[in-house]
């Protein structure tokens, strides 16, 4: 694992992006895109979560094993989600 | 650390058992081997508590009418039996006892990665246990171990809350152990010990830990929601309040089906070690065995809906879950065949552990094959919620997992204690267990096919003969569990009478003294060879 | 790379060196975060299901949440993530003073989040929006709206508990940092606590649009 | 201990088919168990330690063998899956001409009502040779309606309808069990299914004391008594949609979706009118959740359905 000290600038940049995306997500919520609303909101949230993970949580500088673990968590959440909801929409 | 006593003049021995004296040295220990012993004690107590309930159940079922206990008591008996056996005995059994003891030894490490966390997990386990026991003395709980809503959330008048809190707390104990194993296996293997040189028991512990980490949090949150609903009177699962009871079943089985593999995979690991040791032959298809374990662990997550074929789940979801259930049977098939092939052309030595292994293979096969009856949609409609299911899971959990656990205890007992038990008694009790087991549970397959529903306190007369057989078997079975208690404890009174490697087995745990020293190895071992290199003839290292 | 295994603190007896110890604790924390994903995951599944079953009620009920406070809290939390990551950075470079300063900032911001949350909760109590027998919701969707609020309180409540635990952990670390426990060689506890803190932030990143922004149009 | 059967009665059109699959599975299981047992016994006897049998050519790896015993079981398993899925689907789709019977489960009894109005408790009379579809719901917790001799079972849920169907082939009395644990007297929630020759069944229908008022007419009464007519009948001014011709039609909802007006929909409309609003209407209708029993809801449903039976081509309901 690399104990890479990341320049402060990166962190401030990430911070500003996160704040901006928060404003965007609030603003966008006032327009109606029909069924797309939820996808847009979740899309923005996912972008935010990803950059938090990559930079604040240093995932980007971590070994592949850490990626595997983080990925497994998300994949399993997805499995639970999809198979459960699939039951309801095919009733 | 404080094991500097070994060169003192007093006649003290330099092993983990003698590394410190007094209760405090045990209750505050961070040595994985001592924690394993602590777990062994807790788990054994719960096993006998659960077994006692089973015995009362069987007694009641001897006659069609309700004569020994009341209906409420009966319902509490099978609930507490299931809860205790599953959550407090079988899930922690092999991981927390044998796994704790062996994982660091087998990979040549001094301890688990987080020793304090390990001790904490034992305390957490016991706190969970106290809640369950509190519920017990306070009148018990009657929801069935599955806690189906809305019965558990709204209608049941029994102690749902403490039991659910107990199970919730217990979950953290499993998670802590699993997390510890994962990190330890990843980060603390001895130099040269690559993944495909690991003993299969380590693969099994790893796979089990992965399942635990991914599944247990889901039951935790599900139980939280259940508590929330029950305490606040809001609707999450109760349709009268706008909720959906099937969601509970989805979340519950998302955990509880993988949990059945938490129970069986460690046993499979034990059996792999035992079979190759007493066949004096390398395990057949090592890599397939390792992959099969991982495949069971992963695909085991995709089949939970097979518990819900008649629940009102969609037909299409039923198809998917059924097909996947059949697929998950394939890696299990590989394991059974490979054990069998390992024995072929071996030099089989009939010591006690392999008798348990034979029992395991046979009974697990029957249990697994009857799982196919249940995975098959149309037959499950008839068989679900009957004694066929009860027989299926006891074949796997008692005939399989518990046999594997006992086999493992017998295999590593000399390592853990430095003593050999009386093998004549041990073989006798293995036989008793096998006979008693089949007499108890085989009739239940027939009962289930005839249509006797499970969780029935009274039943129609025509089912009596088979029930009497089952009860008779349970008595024999109970006896079979008491004998090992006696001769194992008895063995402790003897002199230390085994060397480093009494079975002539491979594996790092057999290269250090019995019982091991606190730091496991005088010097960190370096691994160069493959696992399970058994020579044509046995080489007993003394 | 530090491999000075005889540093002031030193690795625990069962590890071979500092690197192994640090890698173990990072991997341990990520594994723990996986369990957290699944833990919150159960709630998210319930939320998704009920929202798709009762879309109108959820839209209606969501309007009763205070968007301004929610948005401010999101900002507060993001700020606290920034100060946290800066604390880790100073720990990495052995700047104890900066570490202490940023830890304090993180704790203050985390507490501010909780205070604002407490305001929101007390408003809900006034408006009888606490699920249970006293729940009142005018309009046709009473029961389903109650479901929304059940999930709202479960999700934000659980999140708040995580925040409280996080603040507790950071306070202990602050105390230790002040006493000079951490060096450029040994700072895994800070690193690992940072991971946890950011994860809690990520959960909120999802909770905010799901709960506050269901239908503002 | 009068009798000691080893095979259950088989008394429905599906039961023999299930048994065929069951015995196929038994054969597969016996086959594999025997292979394993024989192989184990053979090795145990021949290759025990110290025996002189030759171990030449002992293998610890052989890919073709591994593949063989992965793929052959997989093929067998998929075959079983296909077979059982086909049967399961058949068990799910009731024939169109099925006679419908309403079942309400509650702790701890079964309440049954035939369309003709006959009610029974813990007994279900059915004619042989005619498909019967059960429309089931529960008043409290989950139950499960299980007739072993017919090999059918289905959970009965509160707040929702589930269905199952069967066609009895042999007159006789069969067990009826509640198979989902439902509390103290779960094992007492049992009864009888009495399959009768059609003629006997007709006789039974007219002979029982509860016979007479058809469900639809009871429903009409409920409709009157609970004031549904104030909004749903022409002569009082239609504040809600007219219900004539509603049954089985596609209903357009306010959110743009459409839904078929079946038991489930009508039940929801009555008990939870807020859930789905008909396009073009205000959400005016009060909930009847705590006022109507499950039986009354069932009667209302039969009533609404009867409105369509008489006015088959009334056009759609807006
Ligand atoms: C350790 C525990 C354990 C294990 C390992 C299993 C393993 C399996 N289980 Fe079991 N099961 C339980 C414990 C377990 N189960 C419990 C506790 C319940 C009831 C819970 C409750 O309701 O209270 C249950 C219930 C249960 C059900 C639901 C029944 C119902 O309620 O309606 C189903 C349905 O599919 C099922 C299927 C299976 C299958 C397909 C496997 C497979 O993994 C088995 C695979 C093994 C083999 C198949 C044998 C070896 C293979 C061969 C010898 C080769 C031949 C193979 C082929 C031809 C494919 N189980
Ligand atoms: C690991 C899991 C495990 C284990 C080991 C067992 C072990 C046993 N089980 Fe268990 N069982 C379950 C898990 C397990 N069970 C589960 C999950 C359920 C479902 C619960 C539910 O429906 O919610 C269940 C349900 C269940 C039922 C069905 C109840 C019902 O549906 O109404 C029955 C009935 O025969 C039964 C019997 C037995 C027997 C005879 C044993 C025997 O193997 C036990 C033998 C052990 C002993 C007998 C103890 C040793 C002896 C003593 C302590 C001395 C006793 C003292 C005197 C005799 C005075 N079990
Ligand atoms: Cu009704 Cu069991
Ligand atoms: Cu399962």
């Amino acid at each position: 694992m690399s104990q890479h000290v990341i320049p402060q600038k990166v962190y401030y940049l990430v911070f500003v992006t996160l704040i901006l995306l928060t404003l965007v997500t609030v603003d966008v919520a006032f327009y109606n895109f029909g069924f797309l609303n939820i996808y847009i909101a979740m899309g923005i949230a996912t972008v935010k979560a990803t950059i938090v993970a990559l930079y604040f949580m240093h995932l980007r500088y971590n070994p592949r094993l850490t990626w595997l673990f983080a990925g497994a968590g998300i994949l399993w959440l997805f499995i639970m989600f999809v198979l459960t909801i699939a039951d309801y929409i095919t009733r | 650390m404080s094991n500097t006593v070994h060169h003192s003049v007093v006649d003290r021995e330099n092993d983990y058992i003698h590394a410190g004296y007094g209760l405090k040295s045990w209750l505050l220990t961070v040595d994985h081997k001592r924690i394993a012993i602590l777990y062994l004690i807790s788990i054994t107590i719960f096993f006998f508590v659960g077994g006692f309930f089973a015995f009362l159940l069987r007694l009641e079922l001897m006659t069609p009418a309700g004569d020994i206990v009341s209906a409420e008591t009966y319902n509490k008996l099978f609930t507490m039996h299931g809860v205790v056996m599953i959550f407090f005995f079988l899930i922690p059994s092999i991981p927390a006892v044998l796994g704790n003891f062996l994982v660091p030894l087998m990979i040549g490490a001094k301890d688990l990665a987080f020793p304090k966390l390990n001790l904490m997990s034992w305390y957490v386990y016991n706190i969970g246990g106290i809640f369950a026991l509190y519920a017990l003395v306070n009148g018990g709980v009657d929801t069935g171990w599955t806690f189906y809503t809305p019965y558990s959330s709204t209608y049941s008048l029994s102690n749902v809350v403490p039991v659910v809190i107990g199970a919730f707390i217990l979950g953290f104990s499993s998670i802590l152990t699993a997390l510890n194993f994962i990190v330890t296996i990843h980060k603390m293997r001895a130099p040269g010990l690559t993944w495909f040189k690991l003993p299969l028991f380590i693969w099994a512990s790893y796979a089990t830990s992965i399942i635990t980490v991914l599944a247990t949090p889901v039951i935790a949150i599900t139980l939280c929601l259940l508590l929330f609903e029950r305490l606040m009177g809001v609707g999450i699962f109760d349709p009268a309040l706008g909720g959906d009871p099937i969601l509970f079943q989805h979340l519950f089985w998302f955990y509880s089906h993988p949990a059945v593999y938490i129970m069986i995979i460690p046993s499979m690991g034990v059996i792999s070690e035992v079979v190759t040791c007493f066949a004096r032959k390398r395990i057949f298809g090592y890599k397939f065995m390792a992959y099969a374990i991982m495949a069971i662990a992963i695909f085991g997550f995709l089949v939970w809906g097979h518990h819900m074929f008649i629940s009102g789940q969609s037909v299409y979801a039923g198809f998917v879950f059924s097909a996947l259930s059949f697929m998950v049977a394939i890696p299990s098939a590989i394991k059974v065949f490979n054990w069998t092939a390992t024995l072929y052309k071996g030099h089989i030595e009939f010591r006690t552990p392999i008798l348990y292994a034979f029992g395991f293979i046979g009974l697990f096969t029957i249990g697994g094959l009857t799982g196919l009856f249940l995975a098959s949609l149309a037959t499950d409609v008839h068989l679900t919620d009957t004694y066929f299911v009860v027989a299926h899971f006891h074949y796997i959990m008692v005939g399989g997992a518990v046999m594997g656990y006992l086999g493992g205890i017998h295999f590593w007992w000399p390592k853990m204690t430095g003593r050999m038990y009386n093998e004549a008694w041990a073989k006798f009790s293995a036989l008793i267990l096998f006979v008693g087991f089949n007499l108890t549970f085989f009739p239940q397959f027939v009962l289930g096919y005839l249509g006797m529903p499970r969780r029935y306190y009274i039943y129609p007369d025509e089912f009596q003969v088979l029930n009497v057989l089952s009860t008779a078997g349970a008595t024999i079975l109970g006896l079979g569990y008491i004998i090992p208690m006696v001769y194992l404890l008895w063995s402790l009174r003897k002199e230390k009478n085994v060397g480093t490697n009494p079975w002539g087995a491979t594996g790092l745990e057999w290269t250090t003294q019995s019982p091991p020293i606190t730091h496991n190895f005088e010097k960190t071992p370096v691994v160069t060879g493959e696992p399970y290199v058994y020579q044509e003839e046995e080489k007993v290292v003394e | 790379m530090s491999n000075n295994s005889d540093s002031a603190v030193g690795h625990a007896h069962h590890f071979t060196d500092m690197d192994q110890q640090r890698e173990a604790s990072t991997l341990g924390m990520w594994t723990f975060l996986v369990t957290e994903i699944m833990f919150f995951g159960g709630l998210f599944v319930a939320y998704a299901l009920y929202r798709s079953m009762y879309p109108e009620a959820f839209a209606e009920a969501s309007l009763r949440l205070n968007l301004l406070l929610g948005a401010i809290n999101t900002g507060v939390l993001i700020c606290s993530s920034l100060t946290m990551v800066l604390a880790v950075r100073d720990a990495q470079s052995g700047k104890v003073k900066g570490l202490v300063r940023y830890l304090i900032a993180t704790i203050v911001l985390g507490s501010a989040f909780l205070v604002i949350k407490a305001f929101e909760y007390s408003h809900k109590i006034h408006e009888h929006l606490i699920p249970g027998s006293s729940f009142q919701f005018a309009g046709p969707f009473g029961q389903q709206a109650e479901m929304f609020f059940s999930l709202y309180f479960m999700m934000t409540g659980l999140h708040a508990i995580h925040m409280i635990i996080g603040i507790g952990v950071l306070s202990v670390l602050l105390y230790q940092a002040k006493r000079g426990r951490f060096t450029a060689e040994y700072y895994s506890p800070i690193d690992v606590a940072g991971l946890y803190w950011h994860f809690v932030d990520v959960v909120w990143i999802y909770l905010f649009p799901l709960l506050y922004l269901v239908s503002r149009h | 201990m009068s009798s000691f059967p080893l095979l259950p009665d088989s008394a429905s059109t599906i039961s023999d088919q299930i048994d065929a699959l069951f015995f196929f599975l038994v054969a597969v299981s016996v086959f594999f168990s025997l292979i394993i047992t024989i192989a184990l016994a053979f090795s145990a006897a021949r290759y025990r330690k110290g025996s002189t049998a030759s171990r030449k050519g002992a293998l610890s790896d052989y890919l073709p063998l591994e593949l063989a015993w992965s793929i052959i079981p997989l093929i067998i398993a998929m075959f079983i899956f296909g077979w059982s899925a086909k049967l399961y689907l058949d068990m799910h789709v009731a024939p169109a001409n099925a006679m419908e019977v309403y079942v309400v489960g509650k702790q701890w009894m079964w309440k049954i009502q035939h369309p003709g109005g006959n009610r029974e408790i813990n007994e279900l009379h059915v004619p042989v040779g005619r498909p019967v579809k059960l429309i089931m719901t529960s008043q409290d917790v989950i139950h499960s309606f299980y007739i072993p001799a017919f090999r059918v079972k289905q959970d009965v849920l509160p707040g929702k309808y589930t269905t199952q169907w069967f066609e009895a082939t042999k007159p006789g009395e069969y067990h009826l069990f509640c198979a989902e644990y439902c509390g103290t007297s779960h094992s007492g929630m049992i009864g009888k299914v009495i399959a009768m020759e059609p003629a006997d069944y007709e006789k039974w229908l007219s002979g029982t004391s509860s016979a007479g008022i058809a469900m639809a007419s009871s429903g009409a009464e409920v409709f009157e008594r609970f004031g549904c007519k104030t909004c749903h009948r022409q002569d009082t001014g239609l504040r809600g949609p007219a219900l004539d011709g509603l049954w089985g039609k596609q209903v357009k909802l306010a959110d743009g979706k459409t839904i078929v007006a079946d038991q489930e929909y009508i039940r929801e409309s009555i008990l939870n009118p807020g859930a789905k609003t008909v396009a073009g209407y205000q959400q005016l209708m009060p909930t009847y959740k705590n006022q109507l029993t499950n039986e009354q809801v069932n009667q209302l449903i039969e009533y609404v359905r009867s409105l369509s039976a008489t006015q088959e081509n009334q056009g759609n309901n807006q």
Side-chain angles (χ1 to χ4, degrees), chain B residues 110 112-115 183 186-188 213-214 217-218 220-221 225 228 232 234-236 240-244 247 254 519, chain C residues 13-15 20 23-25 27-28 31-32 34-35 38-39 42-43 46 49-50 54 131-132 143 146-147 150 154 158:
Chain B
K110 294 200 189 84
L112 288 173
F114 309 114
V183 175
H186 266 289
K187 292 291 170 198
M188 300 182 68
V213 157
L214 289 167
V218 179
I221 192 68
L225 286 167
F228 190 60
M232 306 271 297
V234 301
I236 306 269
L241 301 166
D244 179 70
L247 177 64
F254 181 88
H519 285 293
Chain C
H13 76 278
H14 58 292
F15 289 112
Q20 192 192 29
E23 285 170 23
S25 48
L27 189 65
T31 312
F32 179 71
V34 171
T35 70
M38 299 308 287
F39 188 67
L43 279 178
L49 183 69
Y50 291 127
Y54 311 126
Q143 194 171 63
E146 189 173 353
M147 178 77 81
S150 296
M154 274 298 274
L158 219 55

Side-chain angles (χ1 to χ4, degrees), chain D:
Chain D
M1 232 186 270
S2 46
S3 61
F4 178 36
L6 285 175
L7 294 176
D9 273 329
S10 169
S12 77
T13 49
I14 199 80
S15 56
D16 285 342
Q17 300 180 51
I18 303 276
D19 283 357
L21 176 55
F22 182 87
F23 284 109
F24 180 76
L25 276 156
V26 170
V28 169
S29 302
V30 169
F31 174 75
F32 279 105
S33 308
L34 277 185
I35 289 189
I36 305 273
T37 314
I38 290 170
L40 287 180
F42 173 80
S43 296
R46 189 173 162 88
Y47 299 115
R48 66 189 185 281
K49 182 187 163 192
S51 82
T52 54
S54 155
R55 269 82 164 177
K56 272 242 300 286
L59 293 171
S60 67
D61 229 338
Y62 188 51
L63 191 62
L65 207 53
E66 301 264 24
L67 291 178
W69 61 48
S70 317
I71 293 170
I72 294 172
L74 182 64
I75 294 171
I76 298 175
M78 286 302 110
F79 174 75
I80 299 171
F81 166 71
W83 184 351
S84 75
K86 157 97 185 38
L87 277 183
Y88 186 65
L89 202 59
D90 291 348
M91 292 166 82
H92 243 268
V93 190
N97 64 341
M99 163 188 143
E100 294 187 354
V101 176
Y102 283 88
V103 175
V104 176
K106 59 173 284 208
Q107 283 174 328
W108 290 278
M109 60 168 82
W110 297 106
K111 293 179 167 180
I112 287 158
Q113 189 165 21
H114 296 253
N118 312 58
R119 293 162 193 262
E120 19 184 1
I121 286 183
N122 292 344
E123 281 191 7
L124 170 61
H125 288 77
V126 292
V128 298
R130 180 151 171 220
V132 176
K133 178 177 175 186
L134 305 179
I135 298 161
M136 309 183 292
T137 189
S138 160
Q139 200 131 304
D140 34 51
V141 300
I142 303 178
H143 304 275
S144 193
F145 198 90
Y146 178 30
I147 313 166
F150 297 169
R151 311 284 187 275
V152 294
K153 183 189 288 137
Q154 171 65 51
D155 278 4
V156 176
L157 301 167
K160 167 173 186 5
Y161 284 109
T162 52
T163 63
Q164 68 178 346
W165 77 274
F166 56 80
E167 182 181 329
T169 52
K170 240 176 34 193
E173 277 189 24
Y174 306 106
H175 284 301
L176 158 61
F177 292 131
C178 173
E180 189 66 73
Y181 177 66
C182 53
T184 309
S185 292
H186 163 60
S187 54
M189 195 164 160
I190 57 176
K192 279 190 295 212
V193 175
I194 300 135
M196 313 166 101
E197 292 297 350
D200 294 339
Y201 175 70
E202 290 308 325
K203 232 194 282 159
W204 173 82
L205 274 184
S206 50
T208 54
S209 53
S210 66
I213 313 154
M215 278 183 84
S217 352
S218 316
E221 220 168 84
V222 178
F223 200 76
E224 194 95 4
R225 183 141 51 93
F226 283 85
C228 315
K229 58 167 189 183
T230 51
C231 301
H232 286 294
R233 194 162 304 154
Q234 236 79 22
D235 45 10
T236 45
L238 272 177
R239 284 198 280 164
L243 300 180
D244 319 59
L246 172 63
W247 182 262
K249 294 278 152 51
Q250 295 275 341
V251 181
K252 247 183 111 101
L253 300 180
D255 61 4
K257 299 192 182 113
T258 56
I259 189 167
V260 178
D262 56 2
Q263 275 106 350
E264 193 75 60
Y265 170 72
I266 293 178
R267 178 192 170 85
E268 194 181 35
S269 298
I270 300 170
L271 297 183
N272 200 352
K276 300 190 176 79
T277 310
V278 182
Y281 284 89
Q282 285 296 308
Q283 171 47 61
L284 281 178
M285 179 166 158
T287 170
Y288 286 85
K289 189 166 212 146
N290 299 319
Q291 299 172 39
L292 295 168
T293 64
N294 276 300
E295 285 86 348
Q296 287 170 322
V297 174
N298 288 343
Q299 289 158 0
L300 280 171
I301 290 171
E302 279 304 300
Y303 169 67
V304 171
R305 172 198 251 174
S306 70
L307 294 177
S308 308
T310 46
Q311 294 157 313
E312 207 62 279
N313 36 17
Q314 268 278 306
N316 58 37
N317 59 318
Q318 289 98 32

Side-chain angles (χ1 to χ4, degrees), chain B residues 128-447:
Chain B
I130 287 169
F131 274 93
L133 291 176
Y134 164 79
L136 197 72
V137 294
N138 204 29
V141 58
D142 73 344
T143 59
W145 83 280
T146 47
F147 301 115
Y148 271 19
T149 52
Y151 184 69
S152 62
S153 62
T154 313
Y155 290 84
S156 169
L157 298 175
S158 61
N159 292 288
V160 180
V161 172
V163 170
V164 166
I165 294 178
F168 176 83
I169 294 175
L170 196 71
F172 286 94
S173 142
S174 310
I175 289 175
L176 292 180
T177 304
L179 192 151
N180 231 331
F181 284 3
I182 290 176
V183 175
T184 307
I185 294 170
H186 266 289
K187 292 291 170 198
M188 300 182 68
R189 298 190 308 274
L193 191 53
T194 54
W195 283 90
F196 286 113
K197 288 182 184 153
L198 289 173
L200 288 170
F201 182 77
I202 296 293
W203 275 102
S205 299
Y206 183 73
T208 308
S209 305
I210 295 281
I211 305 176
T212 306
V213 157
L214 289 167
T216 314
V218 179
I219 191 76
I221 192 68
T222 312
L223 295 177
C224 278
L225 286 167
L226 174 58
L227 280 181
F228 190 60
E229 169 155 335
R230 190 171 168 94
L231 294 175
M232 306 271 297
V234 301
I236 306 269
F237 301 123
D238 185 352
L241 301 166
D244 179 70
I246 296 183
L247 177 64
F248 176 86
Q249 299 178 20
H250 274 296
L251 294 175
F252 180 84
W253 292 115
F254 181 88
Y255 163 76
S256 289
H257 181 81
V260 309
Y261 296 117
I262 296 179
M263 300 179 235
I264 199 69
I265 290 178
S267 273
M268 293 173 157
V270 169
I271 297 307
S272 301
E273 301 293 320
V274 169
V275 162
T276 137
C277 173
F278 292 99
R280 306 268 153 222
K281 191 161 155 269
R282 193 163 188 242
I283 192 109
F284 188 90
Y286 170 83
K287 279 203 175 169
F288 256 73
M289 291 295 257
Y291 289 137
I293 288 179
M294 292 310 287
I296 295 175
I298 291 169
F299 290 109
F301 274 96
L302 305 176
V303 304
W304 76 80
H306 68 204
H307 295 270
M308 302 163 57
F309 288 153
I310 60 150
S311 69
Q313 177 181 243
S314 101
V315 188
Y316 305 99
F319 287 165
V320 172
F321 284 124
S322 167
L324 290 167
S325 302
F326 280 107
M327 310 252 211
V328 85
I330 303 307
S332 301
I334 293 175
K335 301 202 74 76
V336 170
F337 290 129
N338 282 17
W339 289 318
T340 312
T342 306
L343 290 165
Y344 180 68
K345 294 197 174 173
H347 295 82
I348 304 168
E349 191 182 356
F350 288 95
R351 306 297 292 273
T352 313
I354 200 160
L355 297 186
Y356 281 101
F358 275 119
F360 174 97
I361 298 174
L363 299 178
F364 170 75
T365 302
I366 297 177
L369 287 164
T370 51
L372 300 179
F373 290 59
L374 303 171
S376 135
L377 291 154
T379 40
D380 184 64
V381 170
H382 176 52
L383 298 172
T384 183
D385 283 323
T386 67
Y387 265 83
F388 194 93
V389 176
V390 175
H392 154 67
F393 67 72
H394 283 92
Y395 259 80
I396 294 198
M397 297 202 299
V398 183
V402 177
M403 289 281 182
Y405 171 68
L406 288 177
I409 292 284
H410 282 88
F411 188 49
W412 282 291
W413 186 258
K415 178 55 60 186
M416 295 167 81
T417 64
R419 271 100 178 155
M420 186 57 89
Y421 41 85
N422 180 326
E423 281 216 77
W425 276 106
K427 288 177 180 171
F428 173 68
S429 79
L431 190 72
I432 294 272
L433 279 177
F434 187 80
V435 172
F437 174 83
N438 282 295
L439 186 56
T440 312
F441 294 108
F442 196 82
Q444 297 187 356
F445 282 125
V446 184
L447 277 173

